[in-house]
Amino acid sequence: MSRTIAIGDIHGCSIAFAALIDAINPQPDDTIIPLGDYVDRGIDSKGVLDQLIELRDRCNLVPILGNHDQMMLHAREGRSDFQFWLNCGGDAALDSYGSSGKLDLIPRNHIRFLESCRSYFETDTHIFLHANYKPDVPIEQQEDHTIRWLSLREYVPPKPHCSGKIAVVGHTPQTEILDLGFLIGLDTGVWIGGWLTALDVESGKIWQVSENGTLR
């Protein structure tokens, strides 16, 4: 039976991501939905993107673009965008390519992968997006700031989305999975000593791995 599995923010933690994928063991009919923020802060953004690109050959991979991934793309547009990215953890991402100052070390296939990421993904029962939503705004009309940047510390939706679907998000680190019934938060802070979390949204099965690859 095929599975639909969401994965919280990875943030350059390639060892954790490799261990999580090994535990999930994705099959060709599975849909795997990483919720964004693949890069920055952890020590191996390059390794995470390499793994994600390889994962496309194993399953139906539906990657969501996070705000840190968006910053990495925008860093090529000018000095101020580049400096903004570095200040938000991009220096660690560039270090994984061999230099804190050379954007041209980032392989073209990594840029193409990030450019191919979606803003959101819907199934019959769930909406997957990086950060947040406004309840009364159709998902395709949500502002970029809302779906990619708006923290749950700033704004918690007071009710389900108008589609009636359960929202599955990352972005806002929690010590444990946040489950409001109509919203599930899967960023459990792997890069700050927490866990990298995956959730099978149909069965409710959870996988969690620490930064060093230990399965919880």
Side-chain angles (χ1 to χ4, degrees):
M1 182 179 295
S2 63
R3 301 174 293 176
T4 302
I5 299 171
I7 298 175
D9 299 31
I10 304 169
H11 274 306
C13 296
S14 62
I15 294 172
F17 185 49
L20 187 71
I21 293 303
D22 187 57
I24 293 171
N25 189 24
Q27 300 301 304
D29 289 339
D30 290 336
T31 298
I32 306 295
I33 309 160
L35 295 172
D37 280 5
Y38 312 121
V39 302
D40 300 353
R41 293 178 169 162
I43 64 171
D44 192 17
S45 295
K46 177 184 181 296
V48 170
L49 291 176
D50 282 337
Q51 290 178 57
L52 284 164
I53 290 167
E54 292 173 3
L55 192 57
R56 292 187 298 192
D57 294 329
R58 292 184 59 182
C59 62
N60 177 32
L61 185 72
V62 185
I64 305 299
L65 189 73
N67 62 308
H68 282 265
D69 314 312
Q70 185 181 62
M71 281 189 279
M72 185 174 183
L73 290 174
H74 286 175
R76 301 169 300 148
E77 297 177 6
R79 186 68 198 178
S80 61
D81 290 311
F82 177 66
Q83 193 59 54
F84 180 69
W85 178 49
L86 291 186
N87 293 342
C88 294
D91 52 348
L94 273 185
D95 281 346
S96 71
Y97 292 97
S99 169
S100 291
K102 295 184 179 180
L103 279 169
D104 57 4
L105 290 178
I106 301 173
R108 182 60 194 161
N109 68 325
H110 285 196
I111 298 299
R112 285 197 301 267
F113 175 82
L114 293 180
E115 289 174 337
S116 75
C117 292
R118 305 189 187 195
S119 292
Y120 62 89
F121 176 66
E122 287 186 88
T123 65
D124 291 340
T125 54
H126 292 77
I127 303 170
F128 302 87
L129 63 165
H130 179 62
N132 215 325
Y133 70 89
K134 295 295 178 67
D136 297 321
V137 180
I139 191 65
E140 67 275 9
Q141 296 176 20
Q142 298 278 337
E143 294 182 352
D144 182 82
H145 174 77
T146 300
I147 63 173
R148 229 179 310 277
W149 288 86
L150 184 58
S151 171
L152 291 170
R153 294 195 178 93
E154 300 173 61
Y155 173 80
V156 177
K159 60 183 180 179
H161 185 256
C162 57
S163 65
K165 298 177 181 181
I166 297 170
V168 184
V169 305
H171 186 60
T172 307
Q174 316 280 336
T175 56
E176 299 291 344
I177 294 172
L178 175 67
D179 189 350
L180 302 181
F182 57 86
L183 181 147
I184 300 172
L186 293 184
D187 182 0
T188 43
V190 62
W191 69 279
I192 48 175
W195 304 92
L196 179 59
T197 295
L199 169 69
D200 181 334
V201 298
E202 276 122 18
S203 72
K205 181 176 175 59
I206 294 167
W207 299 262
Q208 290 189 308
V209 179
S210 68
E211 188 174 3
N212 68 6
T214 302
L215 192 65
R216 192 174 190 178

